[in-house]
Amino acid sequence: MTLTQLQVFVAAAKAGSFTRAAEEIGFTQSAVSQMIQSLEKELGVSLFQRSRSGITPTSIGERMLSHARDILNITSCMTEEANVARGISSGTLRIASIPSVASRFLPGLLGSFRKRFPAVDILLLEGDSDEISNWLHSSVVDIAFTVMPDKEMQTLPLLQDEMMVILPDTHPLKDSQTLRFSEIAERCFIMPKDGCIRKMLQENQITPTVTFEVREVYTILTMVQEYIGVTIMPELYMPPVIPKVVAIPLSPPITREVVLAVRNWQSISPLTAEFAVHSQQYVKGMDFAPTSK
């Protein structure tokens, strides 16, 4: 659990409503709900009774609330006494990420960052590009890994993510160096349930006849393995261990840029700035060779 979760827990109990708590602490209602649900899942108990009139702490919730207030009070005292040590050595870092980044390299990145700054609390939210833009605008998060960011956001490029054609590893075209969409256009197409991918294909005049639309990447890859259909997805979507499929670059190539986004680089905290630099260095040291043949 994080201090931010406890702060949200205390604020929600005081307000008697997730919506009112969100308004008071500057978060969105969905972010407050997500953090409370995450805390309840971690503790294994229900902290609130929900009803149309609002929320009230359960009996165990009241006891947890007392502990949470004690923790926050102690933290406040420590912060006041260790004021000089604040900044990049301690604090809370709130991060958002699109799913492909969150699953592919974010765990390793966060692990290496925590080794450098063990006193930092990290809050991670996962969402699509539109959700992430809203979180940044509302200051729910400090920094985000995203693609196609809101034009009002300021960004820092991280890497190029290439679109790949995914085929069974016994397919007649499996040894192709590249593939044009016309070579697979007549086959059943499995569309990843990701608005960003659909938009990229449309912008490049690729309009497949969608037979299936699936959210889970591993399910898509397994369907391709079983000759149910083919698909096109970004290279970052490919997990380290995959079913019996091959990933072949699309021709002409289509790439998307993964960036770090903030509202304003001039106003970010030293901790956020340190994380941005660390992220760039971490990505440069990684091998993002295609997971293909």
Side-chain angles (χ1 to χ4, degrees):
M1 68 187 71
T2 67
L3 292 177
T4 302
Q5 285 177 309
L6 298 182
Q7 290 166 347
V8 169
F9 175 33
V10 171
K14 181 180 179 182
S17 162
F18 291 154
T19 301
R20 287 197 294 273
E23 293 171 352
E24 291 174 5
I25 60 181
F27 283 12
T28 64
Q29 189 273 336
S30 60
V32 169
S33 296
Q34 184 174 346
M35 282 187 277
I36 294 296
Q37 289 171 3
S38 176
L39 184 59
E40 289 179 323
K41 182 177 180 180
E42 183 174 351
L43 293 173
V45 296
S46 295
L47 298 173
F48 292 106
Q49 292 178 338
R50 280 87 163 167
S51 68
R52 292 183 179 180
S53 59
I55 57 173
T56 56
T58 60
S59 57
I60 186 63
E62 289 283 6
R63 290 156 59 189
M64 294 297 105
L65 192 58
S66 177
H67 294 317
R69 289 181 179 130
D70 288 342
I71 292 171
L72 293 175
N73 287 336
I74 293 171
T75 302
S76 179
C77 291
M78 292 176 64
T79 300
E80 291 175 6
E81 293 182 20
N83 193 43
V84 176
R86 296 190 66 191
I88 63 172
S89 63
S90 65
T92 299
L93 182 63
R94 302 170 299 170
I95 306 167
S97 177
I98 54 175
S100 54
V101 171
S103 62
R104 185 70 182 269
F105 69 80
L106 199 52
L109 189 158
L110 294 181
S112 63
F113 188 75
R114 286 294 295 272
K115 288 180 181 179
R116 293 183 59 198
F117 304 106
V120 170
D121 287 311
I122 297 176
L123 171 66
L124 176 63
L125 299 179
E126 185 178 292
D128 58 32
S129 297
D130 290 338
E131 288 176 315
I132 287 174
S133 291
N134 290 333
W135 291 337
L136 284 169
H137 277 299
S138 304
S139 297
V140 172
V141 297
D142 306 305
I143 192 167
F145 296 88
T146 187
V147 294
M148 296 183 178
D150 191 309
K151 292 182 179 180
E152 296 181 14
M153 295 294 112
Q154 296 185 4
T155 62
L156 188 68
L158 279 183
L159 56 89
Q160 295 291 324
D161 192 13
E162 187 173 6
M163 299 291 280
M164 312 292 283
V165 178
I166 313 300
L167 301 174
D169 64 1
T170 55
H171 195 280
L173 297 174
K174 67 180 177 62
D175 293 320
S176 304
Q177 295 301 308
T178 61
L179 281 174
R180 292 183 174 275
F181 175 69
S182 59
E183 297 179 81
I184 62 168
E186 299 303 318
R187 302 181 181 276
C188 294
F189 193 87
I190 307 167
M191 176 66 75
K193 201 166 186 178
D194 183 325
C196 174
I197 295 176
R198 185 183 290 273
K199 184 177 180 181
M200 288 178 67
L201 294 178
Q202 290 175 344
E203 289 178 346
N204 286 272
Q205 288 75 55
I206 293 179
T207 54
T209 301
V210 178
T211 309
F212 304 96
E213 187 170 3
V214 182
R215 184 182 302 277
E216 293 296 328
V217 172
Y218 197 84
T219 301
I220 296 174
L221 298 178
T222 303
M223 292 173 71
V224 172
Q225 172 190 290
E226 298 299 326
Y227 276 79
I228 295 174
V230 299
T231 191
I232 297 173
M233 65 173 61
E235 182 184 342
L236 270 183
Y237 263 54
M238 302 294 289
V241 179
I242 61 175
K244 296 179 180 180
V245 300
V246 293
I248 302 172
L250 186 65
S251 177
I254 301 175
T255 59
R256 63 177 190 170
E257 186 173 55
V258 179
V259 301
L260 275 173
V262 298
R263 291 179 65 183
N264 188 330
W265 288 112
Q266 301 301 315
S267 60
I268 62 173
S269 68
L271 179 59
T272 304
E274 188 67 33
F275 180 75
V277 173
H278 182 85
S279 297
Q280 281 189 307
Q281 294 173 341
Y282 184 87
V283 169
K284 285 179 181 178
M286 291 192 68
D287 179 15
F288 284 104
T291 321
S292 54
K293 304 159 289 183

